[in-house]
Amino acid sequence: MNHFKKTTIALSLAQIAFVSSGTATAQTAPAANNEKIDSIVVSATRRDTMLQETPMAITAFTQETLANNQVKDLASLVAMIPSLNVEQHGDSGGVHVYMRGVGSANHTELGDPAVAFYMDGIYMPRPQAATALMYDLSRVEVARGPQGTLNGRNSTAGAVSLVSGAPSTDKVFGSASITVGDYRHLQTQAMINIPFSDSVALRLAAIKDSHDGYVDFQKGSNVLPGAAKYGAGNQEGARASLLWKITPDLKASFIADYYKDTGAGNIYLAVEPRAGQALRSALVDTPGTLDQSIMSYKGKISYKLNEATELQYMGGFTRYQRTNANDADAGLFPGFKAENRTDWSTFDSTSHEFQLRSDDNSPFQWLGGVFLFNEKNKIRFDIDRSQIAPATLAQDIASGSVIFVQPTVGQYASMMSFIQPDRQLKSKAVFGQISQDLNDQLKLTAGARYTKDSKSDVGGRNWACPGWPSPGVYGTTPLPSDAYAYAQLVTPGGGLVNTHNVGPGGTINAATCGRNYQGENDASLEYSQATYLARGEYKLAKNTLLFASVTTGFHSPAIGDGGATTKPEKLTSYELGFKADLFDRQLSLNIDAFMMKYKDKLESQVVNNVLANFNAAGATVKGIEAEWAWRPTNVDRFTGNATYLNAVYDDFISCDTDAARANGQSCGSTAPNVNVGGSTMKHAPKFATTVQYEHDFTLAGGMLTPRASLHYESMSFVGSGAFNNEVPGHPGVKKQEAYSTLDLSLRYAPYNKAYTLEAFVTNATDKAVKLDVSDLCGDLPCRPDQQLFGAFYNAPRTMGVRVAYKF
């Protein structure tokens, strides 16, 4: 793996030197009256089709569009996709992806995302895959709504597909770019395509992206000099793609793809900061560390049996690994330390898919396939909790020194470790789809898929000592009678920084843990599910398409702590769409109306220190999405999207954790369950829109293009627990009020040159937007009715310049 990475990066850097030597293809001035909308090919139907002729809600962008909009990952693509939201997370190295208000907040090895993520056709099962860098892509495709017939499980909300740039046997070509910005942002990337013959070509690409963190250390933080601030990024990627045209009818491609992130991760920030406290700051006693990598190998073989039939195989192996540490209390309770830490983890997955399909141009088209998928996970996740005496805390604050949360005998410390050595999934599926052109205008499509899965957890254990959960009210918790249990947990403070009770540098393990409590997670379940698709298309005119569909999908059931299991989530989606290229293809307009009915919708929420997975009774999601691209002249471009969304729970018996705590109650014991049917779901603003405008000016022998992109969202709920209710005493804490963000850029492309220059500002107004909100008192020694809210926020205003070169 390291050899592959170093070789690819070295070749890419050699290409930068080669490009810099002056071998380049000149760019000429654009032809007049070039006012038509650019076309793009997508493969969401498992066939190559033009975007405007694909009968589904799908958005696609080329690498050039991504680069011009400073898109480097899925989170930075949000404003460009209708109904898409991405929230950050701290102790998992991943993100939670939502579409149309539907997603999964279970980022652990116990859960699966609701938006499926694919890289070159290979399913990536862990949510951390959505953090991978987007570079040297042919395109990115985002399909909204259930994709269960062709894509299968866990695509109830939609699917994101990255398609890397393909090798070409035509000629040598390449590109390179460098981006420099504030927060010491530096990004370099390069690509070269090398044809060895008329039948073999190799394409190499690499990227490196780093920047400082956005969260300042507050006075009293216990960090070593030079520690990376939370939000700091240090990512790199490398890819090698080989094309081999074995015979005119037999073609194979192989891709090795590497990604690594050694940034600092993210941290909750105080939603209600203390007087004088900056929003983007935290009292840190666990500096963020992250070391995660994804290595994948993918292969595709296509064989044309005859003029009308093709056999195709796609297979892949992916290994994802992670270690990280995160300050889980975010400094909201001085004198108390809560550290979440992944000591080790490995997630291996393999997939195989066989397809037999007809010619794309036949009036009757058919496709059949078999899909096999296995995943094996193992992880150790530690939770470290400790606190110092109030007198010690007061002394540290008075002296202005570091708040050193290393308890001595007689003070509090506890820990818990989740060890999952063998968690597996085995999935098998068969699928098929047929389409018939009844005439030049009308086409009907039907498809079905049958999936059979088995999940198991063998030997999974949770152990805690000396007791769990966290202590009671700070400064009032009496020592237990067996104080020896505490004595062996803690080491008298010796001035060490970032010491642990358990894990690296700690003295406690399962054998020596006092008052050892062990919980078993052993469980297994088997289930099967059939999904189907029925769709009709009607060509109203040459460039105008109407379509209607009924689609079903499902999300896998979950295995939780203690071996608890859920039912699968199911849904039926009804969709009516319109796609048109108007005014001689100067205006592209797509409109999609939908209604999705969920049954046994899966939810995840931390209740009494435990991540609980459970089924809501149901939910209904209705809305209208519109996308447009308009070129009224050859120098003006208007693009954008708009969404109206109504996403509510139908009938959901649940405990409102926020209301319970405000009343000094506890879910599962003293707090009542209530029906929260009618409540709006997370990340489901009633209205959202993005409007972008570009204009080309001829200047100094080149083209100067300013761009402005405005994104607006109405109020939305971004925290679970309160549902549509206000948290007593904390108005608006779990809402993100209506907001706007603005991105600006200025790009210059000289004629007859092969380079471009660009200056840009993202989030120009420096708007702070809440992405996710939680009450952290579940893990802190708060009073029974006390609440401290932390949130993940978007990135602040950033700016930079980019130079790109092609040949």
Side-chain angles (χ1 to χ4, degrees):
M1 180 175 70
N2 289 335
H3 176 71
F4 161 72
K5 180 186 71 169
K6 292 177 180 177
T7 301
T8 306
I9 291 177
L11 286 170
S12 297
L13 291 176
Q15 175 56 25
I16 294 178
F18 177 62
V19 170
S20 301
S21 68
T23 304
T25 301
Q27 295 178 353
T28 60
N33 301 318
N34 182 20
E35 302 169 11
K36 290 182 171 56
I37 301 299
D38 294 334
S39 300
I40 186 170
V41 175
V42 297
S43 54
T45 61
R46 297 300 179 93
R47 298 179 184 274
D48 290 339
T49 58
M50 303 304 297
L51 177 64
Q52 289 301 97
E53 297 177 358
T54 304
M56 58 193 302
I58 179 173
T59 304
F61 298 110
T62 63
Q63 180 63 60
E64 182 178 6
T65 301
L66 298 177
N68 290 342
N69 286 270
Q70 284 72 54
V71 172
K72 69 173 185 177
D73 55 20
L74 188 61
S76 51
L77 191 63
V78 166
M80 300 172 66
I81 305 292
S83 308
L84 175 66
N85 279 281
V86 177
E87 63 181 32
Q88 304 296 324
H89 195 264
D91 64 18
S92 70
V95 293
H96 303 156
V97 182
Y98 287 76
M99 274 188 205
R100 297 175 174 176
V102 178
S104 173
N106 189 343
H107 51 267
T108 71
E109 77 286 351
L110 307 175
D112 303 288
V115 178
F117 197 83
Y118 291 84
M119 296 184 69
D120 293 306
I122 301 301
Y123 177 58
M124 310 295 286
R126 294 297 97 211
Q128 290 79 6
T131 67
L133 294 170
M134 296 183 182
Y135 68 102
D136 189 35
L137 298 180
S138 171
R139 63 189 179 274
V140 56
E141 303 176 14
V142 181
R144 300 179 296 282
Q147 308 296 314
T149 302
L150 293 179
N151 291 329
R153 54 198 294 277
N154 302 337
S155 59
T156 52
V160 177
S161 178
L162 307 187
V163 182
S164 60
S168 171
T169 58
D170 293 340
K171 61 180 181 180
V172 175
F173 61 88
S175 64
S177 70
I178 182 169
T179 301
V180 179
D182 55 352
Y183 294 95
R184 295 202 303 173
H185 181 207
L186 177 63
Q187 182 190 100
T188 56
Q189 58 177 304
M191 177 274 293
I192 183 171
N193 180 83
I194 308 171
F196 295 107
S197 67
D198 292 339
S199 59
V200 178
L202 175 68
R203 184 165 179 151
L204 303 175
I207 188 172
K208 171 76 173 176
D209 187 276
S210 62
H211 61 83
D212 285 348
Y214 309 128
V215 181
D216 292 330
F217 297 125
Q218 293 176 10
K219 184 178 180 181
S221 292
N222 186 0
V223 295
L224 290 170
K229 297 178 181 179
Y230 277 98
N234 188 28
Q235 300 165 289
E236 60 187 28
R239 183 186 304 124
S241 305
L242 179 68
L243 171 65
W244 183 16
K245 300 176 183 178
I246 304 171
T247 71
D249 296 324
L250 180 61
K251 182 173 67 175
S253 62
F254 307 94
I255 301 174
D257 209 334
Y258 173 79
Y259 168 70
K260 189 175 183 65
D261 186 353
T262 54
N266 297 290
I267 190 173
Y268 280 115
L269 301 177
V271 179
E272 301 167 309
R274 300 183 298 271
Q277 176 184 343
L279 173 65
R280 299 185 189 276
S281 68
L283 182 63
V284 174
D285 49 29
T286 298
T289 61
L290 176 64
D291 186 353
Q292 66 178 0
S293 63
I294 303 174
M295 188 70 217
S296 61
Y297 303 92
K298 295 160 280 191
K300 180 178 179 180
I301 302 174
S302 301
Y303 179 57
K304 204 167 184 60
L305 298 174
N306 51 54
E307 287 299 320
T309 311
E310 182 181 58
L311 177 64
Q312 187 178 99
Y313 164 79
M314 289 190 301
F317 169 80
T318 299
R319 167 162 288 182
Y320 165 67
Q321 295 179 299
R322 182 182 83 247
T323 62
N324 68 293
N326 179 260
D327 193 326
D329 63 279
L332 296 184
F333 212 111
F336 182 81
K337 179 178 180 177
E339 178 178 301
N340 290 355
R341 191 173 58 253
T342 301
D343 286 336
W344 46 261
S345 64
T346 301
F347 305 80
D348 289 342
S349 62
T350 58
S351 66
H352 305 276
E353 183 170 313
F354 301 87
Q355 289 183 23
L356 187 64
R357 60 186 185 179
S358 65
D359 179 69
D360 290 351
N361 299 317
S362 171
F364 176 70
Q365 299 175 357
W366 54 268
L367 180 152
V370 176
F371 177 72
L372 306 172
F373 182 83
N374 292 333
E375 185 182 19
K376 182 174 182 179
N377 303 337
K378 56 183 180 180
I379 186 172
R380 171 170 173 165
F381 180 73
D382 288 346
I383 299 177
D384 226 330
R385 301 289 187 262
S386 55
Q387 72 180 40
I388 55 176
T392 304
L393 172 63
Q395 183 178 10
D396 289 342
I397 293 176
S399 65
S401 60
V402 166
I403 300 176
F404 182 64
V405 187
Q406 176 64 22
T408 59
V409 176
Q411 297 177 6
Y412 176 83
S414 68
M415 55 69 56
M416 177 175 276
S417 189
F418 298 80
I419 303 175
Q420 308 289 146
D422 186 2
R423 181 178 287 272
Q424 296 193 42
L425 162 73
K426 300 181 184 296
S427 179
K428 305 174 184 177
V430 293
F431 60 92
Q433 187 164 298
I434 57 173
S435 297
Q436 176 67 58
D437 292 328
L438 299 183
N439 52 48
D440 291 340
Q441 293 177 294
L442 184 61
K443 183 177 184 178
L444 299 179
T445 299
R449 187 183 189 102
Y450 178 77
T451 302
K452 186 173 183 180
D453 286 0
S454 63
K455 280 186 173 182
S456 64
D457 187 325
V458 179
R461 297 293 182 266
N462 308 337
W463 53 272
C465 67
W468 194 260
S470 301
V473 179
Y474 182 66
T476 65
T477 305
L479 287 173
S481 57
D482 58 338
Y484 171 75
Y486 284 79
Q488 65 171 333
L489 254 181
V490 300
T491 302
L496 299 177
V497 178
N498 304 322
T499 53
H500 307 285
N501 298 318
V502 65
T507 59
I508 305 304
N509 53 44
T512 62
C513 176
R515 207 198 279 169
N516 188 351
Y517 168 76
Q518 191 172 91
E520 297 183 357
N521 293 331
D522 294 76
S524 63
L525 56 85
E526 294 185 358
Y527 57 93
S528 59
Q529 183 66 42
T531 55
Y532 66 85
L533 161 72
R535 182 172 63 223
E537 307 168 47
Y538 184 74
K539 280 269 190 177
L540 192 62
K542 180 181 178 181
N543 294 316
T544 304
L545 176 68
L546 297 176
F547 62 91
S549 65
V550 180
T551 313
T552 63
F554 81 103
H555 189 286
S556 302
I559 295 178
D561 291 339
T565 60
T566 69
K567 295 183 289 185
E569 170 186 283
K570 304 176 184 179
L571 86 155
T572 302
S573 176
Y574 307 89
E575 190 169 330
L576 181 63
F578 168 88
K579 291 187 173 184
D581 288 333
L582 307 171
F583 310 122
D584 194 24
R585 294 188 60 235
Q586 291 179 341
L587 172 65
S588 173
L589 178 63
N590 299 342
I591 300 175
D592 193 81
F594 55 88
M595 180 176 72
M596 302 190 298
K597 297 287 292 185
Y598 282 83
K599 179 182 179 182
D600 295 323
K601 187 177 181 305
L602 278 168
E603 300 286 338
S604 298
Q605 185 175 351
V606 176
V607 179
N608 298 331
N609 297 280
V610 175
L611 179 64
N613 303 295
F614 52 91
N615 295 98
T620 300
V621 180
K622 297 182 289 186
I624 299 176
E625 298 166 341
E627 296 178 278
W628 61 86
W630 182 33
R631 296 199 66 167
T633 72
N634 66 324
V635 296
D636 292 290
R637 292 177 295 279
F638 292 89
T639 58
N641 61 72
T643 302
Y644 170 79
L645 188 63
N646 183 29
V648 298
Y649 296 106
D650 295 334
D651 186 27
F652 183 7
I653 305 299
S654 178
C655 177
D656 190 331
T657 57
D658 295 310
R661 187 161 190 90
N663 296 324
Q665 298 173 313
S666 176
C667 286
S669 56
T670 57
N673 286 335
V674 295
N675 192 334
V676 297
S679 294
T680 300
M681 296 158 61
K682 286 180 63 175
H683 300 301
K686 286 288 185 184
F687 179 72
T689 185
T690 297
V691 180
Q692 184 177 117
Y693 173 64
E694 290 184 325
H695 181 88
D696 297 330
F697 295 92
T698 299
L699 179 68
M703 184 180 294
L704 185 69
T705 305
R707 176 185 64 91
S709 180
L710 177 68
H711 178 69
Y712 169 82
E713 285 191 19
S714 62
M715 185 276 295
S716 63
F717 297 94
V718 293
S720 59
F723 301 100
N724 280 9
N725 303 317
E726 292 282 12
V727 179
H730 304 271
V733 72
K734 289 207 168 181
K735 295 179 182 177
Q736 173 55 56
E737 298 297 338
Y739 73 92
S740 298
T741 56
L742 177 66
D743 296 340
L744 301 170
S745 70
L746 185 64
R747 186 172 65 253
Y748 178 69
Y751 300 141
N752 303 314
K753 302 292 183 181
Y755 68 88
T756 59
L757 305 173
E758 184 177 27
F760 61 87
V761 182
T762 60
N763 191 12
T765 60
D766 202 23
K767 178 65 179 178
V769 180
K770 284 183 273 188
L771 304 176
D772 181 36
V773 179
S774 293
D775 178 11
L776 303 187
C777 273
D779 283 336
L780 304 180
C782 302
R783 298 186 308 273
D785 61 347
Q786 186 179 5
Q787 293 172 291
L788 293 171
F789 292 96
F792 292 111
Y793 284 83
N794 64 329
R797 176 176 53 237
T798 58
M799 59 188 69
V801 294
R802 180 172 69 99
V803 181
Y805 197 94
K806 293 183 179 180
F807 80 100

